[in-house]
Amino acid sequence: MLSKARRGELKGPLPVGLVYNDKDEITLDPDQQVQEAIRMFFKTFRETGSACATVRAFRKQGLQFPRQLRKGLRKGEVLWDELHHSRALQLLHNPKYAGAFCYGRTHTRRKADGSMAFEQLPRERWHTLLPGAHMGYITWDEFEENQRRLKENCMAFGIVSRKGPPREGPALLQGLVVCGRCGKRMTIHYHQQSGKRIAPEYVCQRDGIKHGTGPCQRVMGRGLDEAMGQLVVDSITPMTLEVALTVQQELQSRLDEADRLRYKQVERAQYESELARRRYMQVDPDNRLVADSLEAAWNDTLRALTEAQEAYEQGCQDDRVVLGEKQREEILALAKDFPRLWNDPKTPQRERKRMIRLLIEDVTLLKERQITAHVRFKGGATHTLTLPLPLPATELWRTSPELIEEIDRLLDHHTCGEIAAIFNKRGTPSPKGHPFHTELVARVRRQHGLKSRYERLRAK
């Protein structure tokens, strides 16, 4: 067995989508629906960069995925069901889909209680790995890229160990920031107010946690994110028309693929319904036990056919809504005016992160007398930003002399509560950006030695 495995000739169970032909060679499953489902799976992962996002995309489109029974009376039969996250990871980690022969990926041993224990081995401990041994759905380079993405998406002990997929937090450079002192990836801390994340902070703390020391460096992210957003807007502007056409073609391609897969589901349901009908028509009418069972099976396949047809029609309607003429014009208009798209409050922060990752590979931060950000673009181009250090909170929240003078003037005719109402009506924010209230005005008055309304009346 080991000699055959070393030569790549050892036969073993194949994952769904791969079969042995008459010459005992591994080839693609002749079922076109199975092939298209697996190809769309890998293409969706390339576009989203996340196994969870791939599963969500399949469920959003209402697409089913094949799975093969490994035991029982129906062993080897292919069933169709929803795609689950565990199945997605199995496909992404299986080198056979990249046309590679492998043996010894797991180690099995029997424990003292008689049960079996299975251990997933790292690649360097596999017995045999032969890339290019047979046909596959993806190339070996793409398989390696998928493994790199999955590794970057991993989270360990609550710390972003590598560049993960875009998430919902306000930090624009999540997973892209590298410490300019030690070269480690910087993690994110959020400053919260009233339970909401208001400002990100990029922190290099891995060595500090390991050795019990402080962070290597920490950089407030609000001003940095604004500068990076402006850099992205300036960089993308010359390519807006090309981006618009690419986005439009990509959307149409995705919808066409989803439509083909849904139609394959209808064809399979039609075949199973016709097969059940023929079985029912061939049975002896007097044998009611068998006839009733076959009639019930036929009814089940008819219901499945109706559901598949309804799902296909609904999907077609959704596709038409997405790519109507009005929507195409909106896509072109947004792409031509990229700054408006970037600054639109309705644009989710997660989508801004995906946009910035199309251009930027990573950002190296160095905090000294000023903040220096070395930006490395896709393709190797670089750009350096220099930003002043953010002011301390005492300076940011200091009450301006103009505001103190205005409060002093208004105290001649109004109480603290009335002054707060006047400022709120004008839309004047407090030093911290909140609405004014009575105690805030009174505190400013006391801190700066202003006479109260009562004392001013007494003086008259």
Side-chain angles (χ1 to χ4, degrees):
M1 288 177 60
L2 296 180
S3 297
K4 284 188 174 182
R6 198 172 292 112
R7 298 191 303 269
E9 300 175 358
L10 182 64
K11 292 186 63 176
L14 298 176
V16 63
L18 296 174
V19 296
Y20 287 104
N21 60 14
D22 297 338
K23 300 179 181 179
D24 287 339
E25 297 173 343
I26 300 177
T27 184
L28 305 185
D29 194 312
D31 192 323
Q32 291 297 320
Q33 186 182 3
V34 173
Q35 289 190 26
E36 292 188 13
I38 296 176
R39 287 196 176 98
M40 186 172 185
F41 168 82
F42 285 109
K43 182 176 182 181
T44 305
F45 181 79
R46 285 197 302 271
E47 296 164 352
T48 60
S50 167
C52 289
T54 303
V55 174
R56 285 196 297 268
F58 265 70
R59 293 199 173 187
K60 184 178 180 180
Q61 295 285 350
L63 303 177
Q64 293 184 329
F65 199 80
R67 64 182 180 91
Q68 194 171 30
L69 297 179
R70 294 298 181 184
K71 56 184 178 180
L73 297 176
R74 302 168 63 186
K75 179 180 179 180
E77 184 176 345
V78 175
L79 304 181
W80 292 83
D81 200 355
E82 289 185 347
L83 178 64
H84 298 283
H85 183 256
S86 58
R87 290 279 296 116
L89 292 179
Q90 289 174 5
L91 267 71
L92 292 169
H93 286 301
N94 197 331
K96 294 181 180 178
Y97 286 107
F101 175 87
C102 59
Y103 181 75
R105 296 171 60 202
T106 60
H107 175 66
T108 306
R109 61 183 177 86
R110 188 177 297 276
K111 297 191 292 186
D113 59 359
S115 60
M116 302 299 294
F118 300 92
E119 177 187 4
Q120 295 287 340
L121 300 179
R123 185 185 298 183
E124 57 270 13
R125 294 179 58 189
W126 293 0
H127 179 271
T128 305
L129 177 61
L130 302 175
H134 56 81
M135 296 180 62
Y137 287 90
I138 58 176
T139 63
W140 182 253
D141 290 340
E142 185 175 348
F143 174 79
E144 295 280 27
E145 175 65 18
N146 293 344
Q147 303 311 299
R148 184 187 65 80
R149 283 192 177 187
L150 292 173
K151 184 177 180 180
E152 289 179 351
N153 294 349
C154 290
M155 307 285 276
F157 305 105
I159 302 172
V160 182
S161 58
R162 297 290 292 173
K163 181 173 61 177
R167 302 186 185 277
E168 290 75 9
L172 185 64
L173 302 178
Q174 167 241 323
L176 298 178
V177 182
V178 179
C179 179
R181 294 182 179 176
C182 65
K184 300 289 197 311
R185 291 276 174 177
M186 300 181 72
T187 57
I188 302 171
H189 286 177
Y190 287 107
H191 294 266
Q192 298 191 2
Q193 188 172 20
S194 301
K196 296 182 179 180
R197 298 173 174 178
I198 58 173
E201 183 179 20
Y202 300 103
V203 184
C204 180
Q205 60 178 359
R206 184 175 303 175
D207 287 343
I209 293 175
K210 182 177 180 180
H211 301 292
T213 60
C216 180
Q217 65 174 351
R218 54 199 316 156
V219 179
M220 292 300 298
R222 180 175 293 173
L224 177 63
D225 286 356
E226 292 176 357
M228 291 300 304
Q230 187 61 44
L231 177 62
V232 170
V233 171
D234 296 341
S235 301
I236 201 68
T237 301
M239 300 182 294
T240 52
L241 184 58
E242 181 180 354
V243 169
L245 296 175
T246 303
V247 168
Q248 187 174 358
Q249 293 173 357
E250 181 64 23
L251 289 175
Q252 185 63 56
S253 175
R254 293 183 190 178
L255 293 172
D256 290 344
E257 289 184 2
D259 181 75
R260 285 197 300 271
L261 281 178
R262 282 193 295 266
Y263 187 71
K264 291 291 184 182
Q265 293 175 192
V266 175
E267 289 183 334
R268 180 173 294 276
Q270 289 175 341
Y271 168 75
E272 293 177 352
S273 175
E274 180 62 23
L275 181 61
R277 185 191 69 84
R278 291 199 302 268
R279 289 174 177 171
Y280 174 71
M281 298 300 293
Q282 293 174 1
V283 73
D284 186 355
D286 295 332
N287 191 350
R288 297 309 308 167
L289 294 176
V290 177
D292 291 344
S293 177
L294 293 178
E295 183 180 11
W298 185 19
N299 291 332
D300 291 340
T301 57
L302 288 175
R303 282 192 293 269
L305 174 60
T306 302
E307 293 175 357
Q309 290 174 339
E310 292 176 352
Y312 174 73
E313 294 173 359
Q314 182 64 38
C316 292
Q317 293 177 2
D318 294 342
D319 292 353
R320 285 193 293 270
V321 170
V322 172
L323 284 181
E325 188 62 31
K326 181 180 179 181
Q327 284 71 25
R328 293 189 182 192
E329 294 176 359
E330 290 178 353
I331 291 173
L332 288 171
L334 288 174
K336 291 178 180 178
D337 190 8
F338 185 78
R340 182 163 62 90
L341 171 63
W342 181 269
N343 298 316
D344 189 351
K346 296 181 180 179
T347 302
Q349 189 70 357
R350 181 180 63 254
E351 298 304 323
R352 291 191 181 94
K353 295 179 184 181
R354 295 185 64 179
M355 295 177 198
I356 205 170
R357 289 173 181 226
L358 295 175
L359 292 177
I360 295 177
E361 184 68 33
D362 54 41
V363 180
T364 303
L365 294 183
L366 183 62
K367 181 179 178 182
E368 294 175 330
R369 294 183 178 180
Q370 62 183 2
I371 299 174
T372 304
H374 298 285
V375 184
R376 187 160 62 100
F377 289 89
K378 300 284 188 180
T382 60
H383 186 84
T384 301
L385 295 175
T386 56
L387 305 172
L389 295 176
L391 296 174
T394 54
E395 294 292 332
L396 290 174
W397 296 344
R398 187 188 300 275
T399 306
S400 64
E402 294 79 8
L403 186 60
I404 297 172
E405 183 180 349
E406 181 66 9
I407 292 176
D408 188 23
R409 185 184 67 81
L410 292 174
L411 281 171
D412 291 337
H413 306 284
H414 302 281
T415 63
C416 291
E418 292 172 345
I419 294 175
I422 291 173
F423 283 150
N424 292 333
K425 186 176 181 180
R426 293 178 183 176
T428 303
S430 68
K432 291 187 178 182
H434 304 310
F436 276 90
H437 53 82
T438 304
E439 180 56 32
L440 178 57
V441 177
R443 185 164 61 247
V444 173
R445 181 192 65 77
R446 291 192 299 268
Q447 289 175 349
H448 297 277
L450 305 179
K451 292 183 179 181
S452 66
R453 172 65 178 154
Y454 176 76
E455 292 173 339
R456 296 171 191 243
L457 290 174
R458 286 287 302 270
K460 292 182 179 180

